[in-house]
Amino acid sequence: MKKIIIGNWKLNLDHLEAIQLLQKINYSLPESIEDNIEIVLSPSFTSIRSLQTVISSDKLKIKLSSQNVSQYSSGAYTGEISAAQLKKLEIEYAIVGHSERRTLFNEVDSVVNDKVNRLIDSDIVPIFCFGESIDERKSGTYLNFIENQIDEGLKGLRKDKVNKLVVAYEPIWAIGTGEVASLENIVEVLDYVKNIIKKKPFFNDDNIKFIYGGSVSPNNAEDILNSKIVDGALVGGASLDASKFIEIIKAVEL
Ligand code: PEP
């Protein structure tokens, strides 16, 4: 299975800065990498149209993701952006259930689940994020907590509709903190989650990628990304620096 590296730019860069960063990243990407690793960038909504224009006119292999999507399809929901609107911009992926949305914007599991379903209805691949807080880890309840997030967040998905899905383990204590989870932590959780998902009606052997996110950097990428169980990484801070992001991509053994 092709590994996937996703850069989550969060609330950074205007559309001109975003174009510059896309071009810097693309310039340094050897073709052998582009053909063997899926590279996805997740800019702010305001940059999507500009990046999409550059990608399609220059025929770049880099793909785009949004950082969020509305749980609603259309109607009187001021400020919301629908999955269908994103699809028109040739968005292939959308991050959903990121811990920053769950904790700072009160996105509960049922909202995350609605968003996942809207994305699937519009043929956009959800990058479904889940992961425990430091309290859940310390108290030893993290696997139960994660199982509940998976059950609730991925409810109602049907095999005939789920072409692809990315499932991202993002322990909250490792996001933006510089404290990366150990490979042992990552393997334990991804293995546990794979076993849960294998029993779901939408499971299909090669349509689901299981990835890790949380302070991935050039220093730790090699160990994480070359583990058999890890299909890729969601990269926040380091994706804003073209050379660090490229180093992370190059850490994947082809
Ligand atoms: C993220 O925002 O999904 C993330 C993993 O951030 P960072 O790499 O900065 O920890």
Side-chain angles (χ1 to χ4, degrees), residues 8 10 98 100 170 174-177 213-216 234-238:
N8 176 13
K10 310 195 188 193
H98 192 283
E100 287 155 13
E170 293 224 309
I175 296 178
T177 59
S215 297
V216 174
L234 180 50
V235 185

Side-chain angles (χ1 to χ4, degrees), residues 73-137:
S73 303
S74 65
Y77 300 104
T78 303
E80 291 290 280
I81 292 175
S82 74
Q85 289 171 325
L86 292 171
K87 187 67 187 176
K88 264 282 191 250
L89 290 172
E90 294 169 23
I91 280 283
E92 281 189 48
Y93 292 88
I95 296 173
V96 66
H98 192 283
S99 62
E100 287 155 13
R101 300 238 33 109
R102 291 179 189 261
T103 55
L104 303 172
F105 300 94
N106 303 319
E107 282 188 13
V108 294
D109 288 324
S110 61
V111 171
V112 174
N113 181 244
D114 285 344
K115 292 183 175 198
V116 168
N117 278 290
R118 293 299 77 72
L119 291 170
I120 288 181
D121 291 344
S122 287
D123 201 19
I124 294 175
V125 181
I127 300 167
F128 172 79
C129 302
F130 67 93
E132 79 285 3
S133 67
I134 192 66
D135 290 347
E136 281 128 11
R137 175 147 288 267

Side-chain angles (χ1 to χ4, degrees), residues 183 186 217-228 230 251 253:
L183 193 54
I186 299 170
S217 74
N219 298 335
N220 52 44
E222 197 173 329
D223 279 354
I224 296 171
L225 287 168
N226 295 310
S227 160
K228 236 176 125 189
V230 182
E253 281 164 14

